Amino acid sequence: MKLDPPETREINYSQTRKNVTKWFDTEYSKYQRLASIPVISSVRLSLAPRSTTSANSVEDTTVKRANAKQVLEFVNAVLDTLDERSQKIIRSRHIQKLLSWQVEEIVNLSRPQLYVQDCKACAQFAQTMDMTAGTNLAAYKETSDNER
């Protein structure tokens, strides 16, 4: 087994946090909605005109729903690899959408400390997702030619 060399560029914590926040707001929330769609056995509900391509819409929806549930389970597995504080921060801040003061109370941190820890938690999450799921959540600082 060949391992990829470790990333040596310096992480841009602020941009990575923005990327992770946006991912949870858009992608993760789509998977949550899709996974919660009830299973429809034989009734065909559609606002679109009938066409031959939508004949298997119930089956397609069932497959998409199952895939969404797998994605949510995978994200939970990634979160489980993080330390307890990072898990609490990401779950409360980015999944449950609690307000800053609520998260501060949960993890017992001041607002500036929470921001730093949130950035670090997002970086850990982003790097793990990038390595395992092929996302591009982690952002890196640009290096000048003099630093190379």
Side-chain angles (χ1 to χ4, degrees):
M1 173 167 62
K2 183 179 181 251
L3 295 175
D4 291 332
E7 182 59 61
T8 56
R9 295 177 293 171
E10 187 177 352
I11 194 153
N12 180 332
Y13 288 99
S14 180
Q15 185 59 50
T16 298
R17 180 181 175 274
K18 288 177 186 174
N19 293 349
V20 168
T21 300
K22 182 178 178 183
W23 187 85
F24 275 108
D25 288 346
T26 58
E27 298 302 315
Y28 187 83
S29 64
K30 280 193 289 189
Y31 291 121
Q32 282 182 312
R33 289 190 306 275
L34 189 56
S36 65
I37 292 175
V39 177
I40 303 172
S41 57
S42 62
V43 178
R44 183 177 183 270
L45 299 174
S46 176
L47 299 176
R50 282 189 153 225
S51 72
T52 56
T53 58
S54 66
N56 294 325
S57 64
V58 172
E59 291 85 359
D60 291 345
T61 301
T62 302
V63 169
K64 288 177 184 176
R65 183 176 171 266
N67 181 55
K69 284 186 174 191
Q70 285 181 328
V71 169
L72 296 177
E73 289 172 9
F74 179 78
V75 170
N76 277 322
V78 169
L79 289 172
D80 288 343
T81 67
L82 306 180
D83 62 83
E84 187 178 345
R85 179 181 276 171
S86 294
Q87 287 181 42
K88 285 180 181 179
I89 290 171
I90 290 181
R91 284 192 167 105
S92 60
R93 183 88 171 133
H94 301 285
I95 295 175
Q96 297 172 333
K97 306 293 186 208
L98 298 181
L99 300 174
S100 293
W101 69 266
Q102 294 170 309
V103 181
E104 291 165 24
E105 286 185 4
I106 290 171
V107 292
N108 197 26
L109 293 172
S110 67
R111 184 157 298 185
Q113 291 170 325
L114 175 61
Y115 178 78
V116 170
Q117 291 304 312
D118 188 17
C119 287
K120 288 180 180 179
C122 286
Q124 291 173 356
F125 176 79
Q127 288 174 323
T128 305
M129 287 292 287
D130 290 357
M131 289 186 298
T132 58
T135 58
N136 289 311
L137 297 175
Y140 296 93
K141 293 183 179 179
E142 297 294 322
T143 55
S144 66
D145 290 334
N146 297 338
E147 296 178 27
R148 293 183 192 173

